[in-house]
């Protein structure tokens, strides 16, 4: 199981769209992925340790450093395949490199 | 049982045409009306202003088509709203917003889809529906829609298109 943390300002709309899109697309590509959606302000160093990938809407300063790979997922929000594909490919690359999923 | 994917997301009474000239002005104008109708809490406006400053919601539509105006999707955390709906706001004067996916960039916005969402786990994602509307409606229809100045026309078009796309997705 490959675990993804999606985040946005309110934890309501954008992060849930990223979560749904990544779970669906990575599932279609044959990976076992689970994503959670949270507010950026709620993310702690301890929380981040539970995830294999961080996918914020935009580049985000969390106030701490983390070894968890980061893929900015904002372009997924457009719901246009041409814009989402590079993000999906970047996520798939991290999954492959992790050996999980 | 409610089918969230096809439930109406618009209310004919909650469509705004605003002459505001900055974010705070339009947010206060709309928030005051929503509060009077018990659709948001008293703290809604403060969270809305704070959130937009820290996590902007402008969406650059020029990457889709230069003919389509940029939009923004201002919203708050769930605890400040009492409904699940979209409030369309046409801006008679373009207002500057920062880009949601690259906050260092700023551009003029002519239409807001304010999202009230007290059920983030709901089966259909409101933002996804807004972006489906922007991506699937033809350029000519969007250009015409964004010129509309009658709240009834704005409501009718949005309600029809969102219902159509939701049914297609089902």
């Amino acid at each position: 199981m490959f675990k993804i943390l999606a985040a946005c300002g309110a934890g309501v709309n954008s992060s849930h769209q990223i979560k749904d899109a990544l779970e669906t697309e990575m599932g279609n590509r044959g990976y076992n992925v689970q994503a959670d959606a949270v507010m950026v302000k709620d993310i702690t160093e301890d929380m981040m340790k539970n995830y294999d990938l961080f996918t914020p809407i935009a580049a985000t300063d969390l106030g701490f450093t983390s070894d968890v790979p980061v893929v900015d997922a904002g372009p997924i929000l457009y719901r246009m395949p041409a814009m989402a594909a590079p993000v999906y490919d970047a996520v798939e690359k991290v999954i492959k490199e992790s050996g999980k999923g | 049982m409610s089918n969230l994917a096809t439930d109406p997301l618009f209310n004919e009474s909650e469509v705004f045409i605003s002459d505001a000239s900055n974010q705070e002005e339009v947010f206060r104008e709309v928030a005051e009306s929503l509060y009077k109708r018990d659709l948001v809490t008293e703290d809604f406006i403060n969270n809305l202003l704070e959130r937009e400053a820290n996590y902007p919601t402008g969406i650059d539509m020029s990457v889709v088509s230069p003919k389509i105006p940029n939009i923004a999707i201002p919203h708050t955390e769930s605890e400040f709203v009492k409904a699940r709906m979209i409030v369309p706001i046409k801006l008679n004067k373009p207002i500057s917003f920062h880009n949601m996916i690259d906050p260092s960039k700023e551009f003029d916005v002519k239409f807001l889809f304010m999202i009230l969402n007290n059920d983030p786990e709901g089966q259909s994602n409101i933002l996804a529906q807004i972006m489906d509307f922007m991506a699937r409606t033809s350029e000519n229809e969007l250009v015409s829609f964004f010129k509309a100045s009658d709240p009834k026309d704005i409501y009718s078009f949005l309600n029809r298109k969102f219902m159509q796309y939701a049914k297609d997705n089902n």
Side-chain angles (χ1 to χ4, degrees), chain A residues 8-20 39-41 57-60 73-75 77-80 83, chain B residues 51 55 59-61 63-64 73 75-78 100-103 115 117 120-121 125-128 131-132 135 169:
Chain A
C8 67
V12 180
N13 297 295
S14 320
S15 55
H16 275 81
Q17 188 179 330
I18 299 298
K19 164 189 157 65
D20 294 345
M39 274 188 269
V40 170
K41 70 179 184 184
I57 302 307
T60 302
L77 300 179
Y78 280 90
R79 308 270 289 173
M80 299 179 71
M83 292 187 72
Chain B
R51 238 201 58 84
Y55 304 102
I59 299 179
D60 177 10
M61 294 310 299
V63 297
V64 178
I73 51 150
H75 56 273
T76 67
E77 296 158 31
S78 299
M100 180 160 68
I101 68 173
D102 183 358
I115 301 175
N117 190 353
E121 305 294 337
N125 183 294
I126 295 180
L127 175 55
M131 296 313 291
D132 275 348
N169 287 339

Side-chain angles (χ1 to χ4, degrees), chain A:
Chain A
M1 169 75 73
F2 186 87
K3 291 191 72 181
I4 299 173
L5 184 63
C8 67
V12 180
N13 297 295
S14 320
S15 55
H16 275 81
Q17 188 179 330
I18 299 298
K19 164 189 157 65
D20 294 345
L22 288 179
E23 285 181 341
T24 300
E25 179 63 21
M26 291 306 121
N28 290 342
R29 294 187 183 198
Y31 299 103
N32 186 12
V33 163
Q34 188 229 314
D36 293 323
V38 298
M39 274 188 269
V40 170
K41 70 179 184 184
D42 287 343
I43 298 174
T44 64
E45 210 166 344
D46 276 349
M47 180 195 289
M48 191 67 97
K49 288 173 185 166
N50 297 319
Y51 293 92
D52 303 301
L53 176 66
F54 178 46
T55 57
I57 302 307
T60 302
D61 179 8
L62 294 172
F64 60 85
T65 55
S66 167
D67 293 334
V68 175
V70 179
V71 172
D72 290 344
I76 287 178
L77 300 179
Y78 280 90
R79 308 270 289 173
M80 299 179 71
M83 292 187 72
V87 178
Y88 292 144
D89 292 346
V91 170
E92 183 174 15
K93 184 168 180 279
V94 177
I95 296 174
K96 280 181 177 170
E97 286 171 357
S98 76
K100 297 182 180 178

